[in-house]
Amino acid sequence: MSIFVICEAQGNGYRSSSLELLSQARRLSAGASVVAVVLGDEATSASVLQGAAHRVMAVEGAKVGPYSADAWTEALAGLLLNETPRLVLFGEGTRARDLLPRLAARLGAAAFTNALALELDGPSLVLTRPAYGGKAYVAIRCGDRLCLAAFRPNSFDAGAAPVAETAFETVQVSVAGSRVDLVEQRPRESTRVDLVEAQRVVAGGRGLKVPENLRLLEDLADALGGAVGVSRAVVDAGWADHAIQVGKSGKTISPSLYFAVGVSGAVHHTMGMDTAKVVVAINTDPKAPIFQYADYGIVGDALQVLPALTAAITRVVG
Ligand SMILES: Cc1cc2nc3c(=O)[nH]c(=O)nc-3n(C[C@H](O)[C@H](O)[C@H](O)COP(=O)(O)OP(=O)(O)OC[C@H]3O[C@@H](n4cnc5c(N)ncnc54)[C@H](O)[C@@H]3O)c2cc1C
């Protein structure tokens, strides 16, 4: 039995969600082989995965360069047909949403997104994901059929013991190539941590009144070394980019600490953050639904509470 993790590059290494999945796979492997797969241009950093998996497979080919849904699907489909793993893991995000369904359709595999936990139950691997907008959780037992699953970042800690020996392999593939030519890739210019992987997120809603007040979220996020998120109402009003929207039609995140500031707590929003470990809600309305999700609640005007909170945290953190 083997567990494959499809890794996603970031900077000179791989996203923390990829490293967490490798860690959980090592924790559960019990005799199984943990395989890290890196593709195309992203294979150049493969050496940093020493100890993270029993095997690191670098998939290369003339037409497998920067990420491309067509070429990477074809390359991965061929690899998985050859290798026949039981379970293939992805970090939840835009890439997984693009790649995973294509692969599942091509391979006739079972496919799950938005998963939160992966455990061993006897000989079976069982994954957990929310259902009915987070009102229930379903446990899915992976059978003999190939199963592809994407997990929310921050679902596992990345500290499982490393493997003693990692074998590095290069697999040459020949694919038809992409129907899309990548002309230029411009990373978003931001010094803040990525919203999806951030441990601390300060999210704001319509209660901030005017777009200029989003600065108050940024100030607190900077004091905490975290990321900024917003509700859809804020995006629809044109105050912020959809890239930082949290919720059903935005990002699904699972930080250690989530501030919901001037956010009412509609189910479409909470679906994107209900697995945050600690939630702090700031709202003028004591009956706002967000307080049902909150570990700490502050009933008050965000425009006064935020600057005071930022100043207090800055005093402590320095
Ligand atoms: C198919 C679909 C998908 C959707 N996807 C998403 C999604 O991905 N993400 C998302 O967020 N929404 C989504 N929505 C919209 C969602 O249903 C809500 O309309 C939206 O989340 C409301 O945003 P809000 O909480 O910022 O605004 P509001 O609901 O208007 O809430 C504002 C809150 O601010 C409080 N407030 C007002 N003044 C202050 C103040 N001075 N200080 C503190 N608090 C104050 C108010 O009491 C209120 O609770 C979706 C809707 C649909 C139909």
Side-chain angles (χ1 to χ4, degrees):
M1 205 258 290
S2 52
I3 303 175
F4 276 46
V5 176
I6 311 302
C7 298
E8 190 171 340
Q10 186 170 57
N12 295 324
Y14 295 92
R15 295 185 78 100
S16 55
S17 52
S18 305
L19 305 180
E20 287 168 20
L21 289 170
L22 286 166
S23 168
Q24 185 67 0
R26 291 197 302 280
R27 208 171 273 126
L28 301 178
S29 62
S33 171
V34 177
V35 183
V37 180
V38 292
L39 291 100
D41 292 356
E42 299 190 0
T44 50
S45 310
S47 60
V48 306
L49 296 173
Q50 175 74 47
H54 299 100
R55 293 164 70 198
V56 175
M57 302 183 85
V59 180
E60 296 179 356
K63 297 197 170 147
V64 188
Y67 173 71
S68 139
D70 296 338
W72 286 37
T73 300
E74 201 179 334
L76 274 172
L79 180 83
L80 297 177
L81 276 174
N82 262 340
E83 295 283 332
T84 61
R86 210 159 114 194
L87 185 60
V88 182
L89 312 179
F90 298 75
E92 181 72 63
T94 314
R95 170 86 62 92
R97 295 274 164 128
D98 202 21
L99 206 50
L100 189 152
R102 289 169 198 260
L103 267 175
R106 193 167 297 207
L107 298 170
F112 304 98
T113 55
N114 208 12
L116 304 165
L118 177 66
E119 298 298 339
L120 263 181
D121 180 17
S124 311
L125 283 160
V126 176
L127 62 92
T128 307
R129 72 180 301 277
Y132 305 114
K135 289 191 171 62
Y137 290 88
V138 288
I140 296 152
R141 190 176 299 274
C142 305
D144 293 335
R145 188 172 169 197
L146 171 65
C147 176
L148 312 180
F151 287 79
R152 289 189 190 185
N154 300 325
S155 292
F156 310 107
D157 89 78
V163 300
E165 221 170 291
T166 300
F168 287 88
E169 305 162 30
T170 302
V171 181
Q172 288 294 333
V173 294
S174 168
V175 299
S178 176
R179 283 170 292 182
V180 176
D181 284 332
L182 181 69
V183 180
E184 190 188 2
Q185 210 164 7
R186 276 192 234 156
R188 185 177 295 276
E189 281 177 24
S190 172
T191 51
R192 287 204 185 85
V193 283
D194 181 57
L195 170 65
V196 175
E197 301 204 330
Q199 289 290 346
R200 292 171 283 268
V201 171
V202 183
R206 192 160 23 208
L208 287 166
K209 314 281 190 208
V210 291
E212 290 72 26
N213 289 334
L214 294 183
R215 183 182 48 79
L216 301 175
L217 303 177
E218 292 168 2
D219 291 345
L220 180 57
D222 288 345
L224 293 164
V228 170
V230 291
S231 71
R232 177 159 159 180
V234 166
V235 175
D236 287 350
W239 300 358
D241 196 290
H242 176 256
I244 59 166
Q245 178 183 315
V246 175
K248 180 183 168 73
S249 50
K251 297 275 179 348
T252 303
I253 60 175
S254 203
S256 302
L257 178 61
Y258 187 83
F259 281 87
V261 185
V263 171
S264 58
V267 69
H268 301 110
H269 183 83
T270 56
M271 279 170 78
M273 47 64 71
D274 59 1
T275 50
K277 316 271 176 318
V278 175
V279 175
V280 182
I282 304 171
N283 201 302
T284 42
D285 176 5
K287 295 203 170 74
I290 192 67
F291 285 121
Q292 292 165 20
Y293 295 85
D295 299 279
Y296 299 94
I298 302 173
V299 178
D301 182 350
L303 309 184
Q304 291 174 8
V305 176
L306 275 177
L309 209 50
T310 303
I313 287 169
T314 308
R315 266 199 306 279
V316 175
V317 178

